[in-house]
């Protein structure tokens, strides 16, 4: 199984952008891309359009015109994936879905890699813990913005969870199933190749050490706290009247 | 009845060389004579001399059966039928052999054509041996029509029927006719580029309905049920009490004393109506009515309250609080359904704030606001500024209506008055098009509602004329001003109405009840927040509750949106799925007044034609049931045309008006009690026996489009091999396994079933059954099934059909 | 449209959410508390993994990876005999729903996912068409609570009358599959229904009611200014509407509102005097649950003490 095969599903080769998008498994068969009447309901509803130069209607138009320049349009990275456009589109088109495929196409061409930099390690963390967390880089930024109270909370999290009678953060995955699935579906190869291209392009900003971070437990290796047995809530019932 | 050969005659037409140049008439005659048949030939059998010859020979020799070898029966079949009938024979004793279009013209080789002609004639002669006389079916149609719905469609249809001499019942569920058109105030004129008073056009028509001697108007009435059969319907109508007798002189004394002020559905829920009132001042009939739900006396209010003020006020004693509902049974020959539309419920699209923000209204509500008899007496204002309302003042209104000239005067006065903009006049109006239309989302309708672009233009224009300081913006996706309406669109553009191409996302309310419309101007690629004092939604047209109900009660097909479905969108635009029931106006699909009236005229014409064609002699093949064999199992009731039903004796009866003679029922009956007259298995087997020879391709041809297409091969000077033999059938559903096995046993190399393409209502119904039937036969034939073919015939595809014939005939 | 009677109350796999676990664990505890009180039969599996939502919506995971992870979680649900997945996070809901649609409707995807399982010796994870039904097996926790709202009214102990609250429904719940939700997607009222049943006075409408919370997955990180601008816009309309409490149904929204509100106050120089809660936390409070030991309100950034005092909870 090669990387290309996996890409095939998100961005299958097609005669045009529209064909690729329609054939992508990210979009349903019922997608009304060809039926778009350029009514602008999507743009009028779109938070990204309201606050940035992004315009989903135009994006659809450019896709239908097979204007590949759209992949280089930086506003492509402004979409919130909120699906408001999809909710409002009278033709059952979904700019939100279009953008998802377009970003994958852009990444394939090495465009927009800098937006991905700090997310590329999510897969490793997932494989190790079975859960996801905000990438460390951004955790650091959050710590900066939210200050000590949040950092303290993060430090106390295990204790709070214990008090609430909640189990371990990490999942039980003795067979390393998550890793196998990420591997088998080509995720690591994909992440690796993106990382390599990013390095090549020199756009990487690198990860700086963040003093707040060290205060946060569970960011590296699994720290099994309170691993409770499978089952119903076993916490104190005292509060039930 | 079996005739000896001597009692059978064959007449052969030369068609002035059209036939005789390609077929050796002499050898044909000799061959037939050798079989003991009397044969006559003539230059033109269709000429008056030819017809005289036929009649003369029949009576002179007392022939009992007749074959005519001539052009296609579609051409002179009726003529020759009349000939034999005149000569005293039952028309079932005549068969026509198609020697021109399907023989002489398609087989260039004389010897081959002659041989085929002989076999065709033989087939017909053999078939006649099994023929039985047919009784003509005669139907009497009731000479009355029923029109359901008293909106403009129903009014137009009723008047058209009545003017053409058909007595009509017109049923309306409200207390007055007039429908939606009575609400809209103005209609636009695409040629005068102006708006005219809708009531001034409608009111005379309504009065005409009331006074027309041939129209029986029944208001406050609903259809309860339909029975009987096409042409002879019995309709049960429930007439609800209006509690006011016809002696009412509409003086309005009653409503002046009535203490109950209630929401007025006619004024879009505005609270300006009394419990006893006229629906609107020009109501027809002009008889007051009491709303029993709100009347204090009739139980609208709490225990112990009573009133009866109106009874005392009425000087003519017209109020009868004890009136009871009545059930009427109407017997009619045809029905026109004109039950109309209602406005889409815009609260299903809450992003536009309808029902949440006071100053969001629909076009119909705007029409009421602009209407002189509306809640603001025609003054444009925001609903939020109209808190106290304008209590109904029927006396004043009545005076206005008493005299139309006076009404117009007041209207002018009003116009002038309103020219002075008052502070409450909204300064910025935004209209949103396609609300609930052209919308694939749940709760929306995929279709275009057709009227709303023009309604928006009309209202925008009216407002711009009356209040030049008010800015009107129409947010549209496409402006649909079809045909000459474009002229009006241009005129409205000249009036300074703003057009913004974009479908708004949402409407927002500000603290002062003003609004903001969030929309992208897609032409300028600008995201805008349009401030508005009033937002008007151009709501979709949806089939009215009444339309949906009628469709259920009368068992009519509906489309996926609930409109009543016509039989064929192009060819039968006003015929419903039931014979004798027609549909027009917005009950059938969204349309404007002009189209509604045109369609109502067509529905009336169709209904009239249906009614006046009476007594009706049915010539086409029909299913017939042998009552001795039928045990009433009811299997044949699967008839796709619903022509078969059980009678009170538990026997199946055929409705000859519904039966198309398709033959679907023949196979369903296990007791062989059903057959199609003129196409019994015996007759068809005999014809196959006569016509088929070793090495032939046998084709069963549907007598409709398929037969026509075969004829057209001849008309187009194309040819195919002479071993192609055709047997005409009403549809291929009458072809049985026995016939096919017989044909193969007799040496047919292949059998083709030629069916009408599903391009017309009848064929659309038959086609799937025919395909299914074909597939079943194919399997049941076993090995021979490989040599059974099926083809759809299209009139223009003569060449293709000739090629198919050639191809299949070449197989062996 | 989904009907209320179609919402199951048995055999629910309470689907853990990474963001709930790491930021607002009280949501999970409060949900369990509610489920117990409402007599709902549920199960929490320690094998269930993250849905991939975070990675998926920052464009990292391919749809096939996401679908395969979902298939694994479906196998977990199947194996433990709790096939009705109830998500606390709207993105888990959307991810699972979409993956289930794909697994049932796209043979090629299903075959590919299964071949990965087989290749890796994970035969027991293989997904057979129809193992789960995207419409009748995947729910949001709120739907389950909503379907029991009459019971909530009976059980409510705290008097919230006069509380002016507003709802923020999660985009990935109602905009993602609008045809598959309870009520009109242009006016979702599930939160309103539940909070109303607990005695809150819910704001019928406010400006920007349908505006997204602003988190936008990568947006909060790569375009932080726009992200916060969106949130601030929303907070502004809530301020204008004069609410005391904003209720939501998704930990991502929760982070955006609660964690970011103080940041926004600082950056935009504005002040907001309302607080935030997940609807499960609020309903649990109404039923008398402990604000800290059950609802975990100590994990919030916007302090709730004034609020709790006002309603006599502390
Ligand atoms: S809302 Fe739909 S139809 Fe309208 S412009 Fe956007 S994608 Fe096209
Ligand atoms: S999903 Fe993206 S394009 Fe669609 S409305 Fe949200 S931000 Fe705009
Ligand atoms: S007539 Fe105009 S407003 Fe009405 S549905 Fe059609 S396009 Fe839309």
């Amino acid at each position: 199984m090669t990387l290309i095969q996996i890409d095939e599903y998100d961005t299958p080769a097609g005669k045009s952008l529209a064909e690729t998008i329609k054939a992508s498994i990210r979009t349903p068969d019922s997608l009304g891309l060809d039926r778009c009447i350029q009514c602008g309901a999507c743009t009028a509803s779109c938070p990204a359009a309201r606050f940035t130069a992004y315009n989903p209607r135009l994006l659809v138009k450019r896709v239908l015109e097979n204007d590949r320049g759209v992949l280089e349009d930086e506003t492509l990275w402004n979409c919130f994936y909120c699906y408001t456009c999809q909710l409002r589109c009278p033709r059952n088109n979904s700019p939100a879905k279009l953008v998802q495929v377009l970003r994958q196409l852009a990444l394939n061409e090495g465009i927009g890699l800098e937006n991905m930099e700090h997310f590329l390690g999510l897969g490793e963390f997932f494989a190790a813990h079975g859960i996801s967390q905000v990438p460390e880089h951004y955790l650091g930024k959050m710590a900066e913005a939210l200050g000590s109270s949040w950092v303290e909370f993060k430090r106390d999290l295990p204790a709070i969870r214990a008090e609430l009678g909640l189990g371990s953060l990490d999942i039980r995955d003795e067979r390393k199933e998550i890793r196998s699935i990420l591997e088998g579906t080509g995720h690591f190869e994909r992440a690796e190749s993106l990382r390599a291209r990013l390095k090549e392009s020199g756009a990487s900003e690198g990860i700086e050490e963040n003093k707040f971070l060290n205060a946060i437990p569970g960011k590296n290796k699994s720290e099994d706290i309170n691993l409770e047995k499978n089952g119903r809530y076993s916490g104190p019932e005292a509060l039930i009247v | 009845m079996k005739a000896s050969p001597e009692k059978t005659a064959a007449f052969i037409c030369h068609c002035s060389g059209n036939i005789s140049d390609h077929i050796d008439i002499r050898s044909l005659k000799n061959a037939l004579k050798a079989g003991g048949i009397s044969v006559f030939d003539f230059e033109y059998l269709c000429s008056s001399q030819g017809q005289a010859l036929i009649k003369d020979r029949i009576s002179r020799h007392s022939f009992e059966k007749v074959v005519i070898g001539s052009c296609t029966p579609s051409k002179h079949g009726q003529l020759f039928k009349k000939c034999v009938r005149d000569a005293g024979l039952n028309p079932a004793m005549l068969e026509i052999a198609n020697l021109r279009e399907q023989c002489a013209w398609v087989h260039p080789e004389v010897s081959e054509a002659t041989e085929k002609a002989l076999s065709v004639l033989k087939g017909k002669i053999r078939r006649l041996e099994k023929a039985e006389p047919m009784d003509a079916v005669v139907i009497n149609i009731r000479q009355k029509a029923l029109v359901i719905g008293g909106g403009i469609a129903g009014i137009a249809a009723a008047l058209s029927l009545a003017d053409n001499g058909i007595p009509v019942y017109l049923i309306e569920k409200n207390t007055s006719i007039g429908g939606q058109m009575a609400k809209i105030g103005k209609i636009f004129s695409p040629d005068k580029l102006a708006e005219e008073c809708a009531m001034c056009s409608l009111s005379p028509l309504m009065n005409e309905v009331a006074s027309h001697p041939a129209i029986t108007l029944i208001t406050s009435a609903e259809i309860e049920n339909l029975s009987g059969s096409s042409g002879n319907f019995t309709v049960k109508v429930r007439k609800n009490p209006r509690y006011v007798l016809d002696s009412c002189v509409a003086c309005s004394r009653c409503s002046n004393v009535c203490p109950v002020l209630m929401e007025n559905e006619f004024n879009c829920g505005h609270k300006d109506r009394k419990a006893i009132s006229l629906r609107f001042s020009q109501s027809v009939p002009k008889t007051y009515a009491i709303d029993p739900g709100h009347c204090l006396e009739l139980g609208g209010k709490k225990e112990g309250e009573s009133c009866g003020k109106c009874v005392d006020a009425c000087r003519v004693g017209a109020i009868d609080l004890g009136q009871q509902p009545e059930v009427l049974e109407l017997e009619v020959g045809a029905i026109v359904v004109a039950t109309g539309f209602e406005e889409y419920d815009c609260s299903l699209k809450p992003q536009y704030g309808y029902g949440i923000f006071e100053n969001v209204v629909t076009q119909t509500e705007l029409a009421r606001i602009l209407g002189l008899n509306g809640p603001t007496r025609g003054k444009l204002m925001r609903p939020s500024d109209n808190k106290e309302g304008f209590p109904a003042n029927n006396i004043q209104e009545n005076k206005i209506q008493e005299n139309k000239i006076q009404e117009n005067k007041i209207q002018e006065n009003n116009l002038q008055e309103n020219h002075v903009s008052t502070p409450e006049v909204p300064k910025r109006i935004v209209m949103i098009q396609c609300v609930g239309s052209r919308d694939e989302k749940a709760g929306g309708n995929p279709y275009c509602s057709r009227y709303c672009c023009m309604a928006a233009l009309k209202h925008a224009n009216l407002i711009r004329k009356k209040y030049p300081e008010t800015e009107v913006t129409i947010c549209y996706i496409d402006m649909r001003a079809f045909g000459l309406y474009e002229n009006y669109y241009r005129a409205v553009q000249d009036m300074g109405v703003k057009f913004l191409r974009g479908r708004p996302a949402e409407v927002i309310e500000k603290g002062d009840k003003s609004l903001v419309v969030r929309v992208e101007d897609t032409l300028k690629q600008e995201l805008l927040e349009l401030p508005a004092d009033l937002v008007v939604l151009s709501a979709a047209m949806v089939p009215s509750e009444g339309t949906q109900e009628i469709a259920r009660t009368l068992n009519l097909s509906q489309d996926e949106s609930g409109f009543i479905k016509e039989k064929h969108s192009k060819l039968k635009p006003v015929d419903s799925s039931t014979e004798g029931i027609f549909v027009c106006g917005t009950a059938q699909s969204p349309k404007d007044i002009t189209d509604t009236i045109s369609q109502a005229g067509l529905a009336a014409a169709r209904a009239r034609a249906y009614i006046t064609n009476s007594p009706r002699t049915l010539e086409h093949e029909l299913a017939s049931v042998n009552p001795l064999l039928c045990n009433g199992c009811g299997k044949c009731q699967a008839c796709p045309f619903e022509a078969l039903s059980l009678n009170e004796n538990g026997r199946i009866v055929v409705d000859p008006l519904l039966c198309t003679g398709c033959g679907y029922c023949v196979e369903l009956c296990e007791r062989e009690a059903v057959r199609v007259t003129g196409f019994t298995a015996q007759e068809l087997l005999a014809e196959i026996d006569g016509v088929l020879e070793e090495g032939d391709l046998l084709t069963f041809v549907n007598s409709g489009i398929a037969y026509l297409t075969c004829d057209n091969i001849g008309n187009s000077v194309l040819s195919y091999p002479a071993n192609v033999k055709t047997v005409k059938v009403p549809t291929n559903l009458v072809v049985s396994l026995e016939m096919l096995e017989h044909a193969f046993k007799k040496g047919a190399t292949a059998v083709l079933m030629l069916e009408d393409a599903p391009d017309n209502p009848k064929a659309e119904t038959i086609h799937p059954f025919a395909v299914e039937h074909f597939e079943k036969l194919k399997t049941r034939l076993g090995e021979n099934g490989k040599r059974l073919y099926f083809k759809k015939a299209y009139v223009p595809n003569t060449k293709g059909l000739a090629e198919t014939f050639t191809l299949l005939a070449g197989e062996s | 449209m989904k009907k209320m009677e179609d919402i199951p109350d048995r055999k629910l796999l309470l689907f853990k959410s990474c963001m709930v676990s790491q930021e607002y664990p009280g949501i999970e505890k409060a949900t369990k508390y509610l489920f117990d009180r409402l007599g709902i039969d549920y199960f929490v599996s320690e094998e269930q993994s993250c849905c991939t939502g975070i990675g998926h919506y920052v464009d990292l995971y391919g749809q096939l990876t996401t679908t395969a992870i979902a298939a694994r979680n479906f196998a977990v649900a199947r194996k433990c005999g709790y096939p009705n997945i109830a998500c606390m996070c709207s993105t888990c809901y959307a991810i699972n729903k979409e993956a289930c649609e794909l697994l049932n409707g796209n043979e090629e995807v299903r075959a590919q996912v299964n071949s990965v399982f087989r290749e890796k010796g994970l035969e027991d994870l293989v997904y057979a068409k129809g193992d789960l039904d995207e419409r009748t097996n995947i729910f949001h926790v709120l739907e389950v609570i909503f379907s029991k709202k009459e019971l909530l009214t009976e059980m409510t102990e705290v008097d919230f009358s006069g509380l002016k609250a507003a709802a923020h429904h999660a985009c990935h719940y109602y905009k993602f599959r609008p045809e598959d939700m309870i009520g009109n997607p242009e006016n979702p009222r599930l939160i309103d229904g539940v909070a109303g049943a607990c005695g809150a006075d819910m704001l019928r409408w406010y400006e920007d009611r349908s505006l997204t919370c602003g988190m936008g997955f990568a947006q909060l990180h790569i375009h932080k200014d726009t992200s916060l601008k969106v949130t601030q816009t929303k907070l502004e309309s809530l301020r204008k509407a004069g609410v005391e409490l904003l209720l939501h149904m998704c930990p991502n929204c929760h982070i955006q509102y609660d964690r970011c509100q103080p940041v926004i106050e600082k950056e935009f120089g504005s002040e907001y005097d309302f607080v935030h809660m997940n609807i499960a936390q609020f309903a649990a409070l109404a039923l008398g649950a402990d604000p800290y030991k059950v609802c975990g309100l100590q994990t919030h950034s916007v302090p709730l003490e004034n609020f709790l005092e006002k309603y006599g909870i502390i």
Side-chain angles (χ1 to χ4, degrees), chain B residues 650-756:
Chain B
R651 291 289 171 274
I652 290 290
V653 286
V654 182
D655 184 332
L657 284 175
L658 296 181
C659 175
T660 62
C662 72
Y664 181 63
C665 49
V666 176
E667 224 201 6
L668 295 175
C669 181
E670 283 158 9
R671 301 173 60 92
E672 295 181 12
V674 200
R675 49 193 212 161
V676 179
T677 49
F679 291 93
T680 60
Q682 290 81 350
E683 286 169 294
L684 291 172
L685 280 167
E687 179 165 357
I688 295 168
D689 235 14
V691 76
L692 195 72
E693 261 142 57
E694 178 107 35
D696 279 355
L697 163 71
L698 179 63
T699 308
F700 291 102
V701 185
N702 182 308
S703 58
I705 299 297
Y707 197 81
L708 209 68
T709 316
C710 290
D711 282 351
N712 276 345
I713 300 180
N715 294 335
S716 335
V717 220
L718 296 164
S719 65
Y720 54 83
N723 64 338
V724 175
K725 304 287 173 67
T726 56
V727 169
K728 185 157 106 173
V729 287
T731 76
N732 274 285
L733 292 170
V734 302
V735 176
S736 67
L737 185 66
E738 190 190 2
M739 293 172 202
L740 296 175
E741 279 170 344
H742 188 67
F744 285 121
K745 207 161 83 216
K746 279 219 67 185
T749 51
V751 177
L752 170 66
M753 296 165 83
L754 193 63
E755 261 304 308
D756 293 11

Side-chain angles (χ1 to χ4, degrees), chain B residues 99-161:
Chain B
L99 298 189
R100 197 177 76 179
E101 283 82 352
Q102 294 188 20
C103 189
W105 280 356
V106 287
H107 308 311
E109 195 56 52
V110 173
S111 63
E112 284 178 15
T114 308
E115 205 181 302
K116 169 155 173 189
L118 183 60
S119 70
V120 174
L121 285 162
K122 276 205 286 195
K124 294 300 184 191
I125 292 165
R126 292 291 301 280
R127 186 188 212 285
L128 278 174
E129 285 169 12
K130 304 285 179 193
E132 286 172 23
M134 252 196 287
D135 300 327
V137 178
V138 179
I139 305 278
N140 285 307
I141 310 276
R142 291 217 178 99
Q143 297 299 301
K144 275 195 170 171
L146 166 67
V147 175
I148 307 173
I152 185 61
I155 290 173
L159 284 174
S160 165
L161 278 161

